[in-house]
Amino acid sequence: MRPAGETDSTDGVVPTRRLLVSGNWKMHLTHLQAITLVQGLAMHLGARDERVEVGIHPAFTSLRAVQVFLEGDDIPLVLGAQNVSSEHEGAFTGEVSTSMLAALGVRYVIVGHSERRRLFGETDEIVNEKIHAVQAAGMTPICCVGDSLEDHERGATDDVVVGQVTAALQEVAADAVAGMVIAYEPLWAIGTGHSAAPGDAEAVCATIRGAVAGLFDERVSQSLRVQYGGSVEPENAAAFFAQPDVDGALVGGASLDAARFAAIVAAGSK
Ligand code: PGA
């Protein structure tokens, strides 16, 4: 965990960015199983460090049950969703709108996860529309970007990721960008057990922050949070959180196990 109010050589005090550890449950768990996991998390997380914000992203069908449970037992976990429609309302069978999520107390919405881009045809343009929709409803997007193995092997990671970030942030207001989250998730690291090396993740997260500084300004880029995602485990989490430009983690597999997810959160408090 970085000390508060570090200084840098150019602008004086750098804003302290609170770590955000987010559990992406993907298409797992019925609402009853989701409640069991939240109970386990409440037990394992114990007394919490204010410097680490913890979010969970259940399936749509579990959101209501989890919301009621978190509120009823005053559990300090922030509710998130995994996807949303860019449409406001209307004849869009099977879609879920931002206002439906906001009414459930959802605060973070994952947008443009690589599984949605790859398996469900989500383009940069759709990702940008969803970011606008999420922000218009008063929620915070977690915008996922990442390189494929092929991009990685031909040395195109920075170009691909900066291209995705630039497209995602089209016409987004500077203050909204300052408050949002970008998750760098190399596709080759997701669900594989082979994470990026923490130093390599840092380099890409710093590139993302640099790109945002170029598109907006230094203040916006220093306030924006950049997560790393892809095979984050209790064993490697601390090494990611020690990187100056990595402001937390988007966790898939390990977030489905209360003890393992709690151990990742604890790594952010050290
Ligand atoms: P993983 O998934 O932690 O299982 O690699 C990360 C993600 O897809 O967000």
Side-chain angles (χ1 to χ4, degrees), residues 86-206:
S86 60
E87 299 292 341
H88 182 57
E89 70 174 348
F92 302 103
T93 302
E95 292 292 284
V96 171
S97 74
T98 53
S99 56
M100 294 170 187
L101 296 182
L104 287 169
V106 166
R107 275 207 252 145
Y108 290 98
V109 184
I110 297 171
V111 173
H113 189 280
S114 63
E115 286 149 19
R116 298 221 53 88
R117 292 180 189 256
R118 198 165 45 84
L119 303 171
F120 300 98
E122 230 163 77
T123 61
D124 282 338
E125 195 183 5
I126 294 171
V127 170
N128 173 252
E129 285 168 5
K130 290 187 176 188
I131 287 173
H132 281 280
V134 169
Q135 286 168 336
M139 299 179 292
T140 301
I142 297 178
C143 173
C144 299
V145 298
D147 49 332
S148 68
L149 185 59
E150 197 215 321
D151 299 329
H152 177 66
E153 285 175 345
R154 66 187 169 92
T157 297
D158 286 0
D159 284 351
V160 167
V161 166
V162 169
Q164 289 172 337
V165 168
T166 306
L169 300 182
Q170 287 297 311
E171 309 288 324
V172 181
D175 281 347
V177 176
M180 71 178 271
V181 182
I182 293 179
Y184 168 54
E185 296 208 303
L187 274 60
W188 43 271
I190 295 177
T192 60
H194 302 292
S195 67
D200 293 346
E202 162 62 20
V204 180
C205 291

Side-chain angles (χ1 to χ4, degrees), residues 24 26 113 115 185 189-191 230-232 250-253:
N24 173 12
K26 307 193 179 185
H113 189 280
E115 286 149 19
E185 296 208 303
I190 295 177
S231 297
V232 175
L250 184 53
V251 184

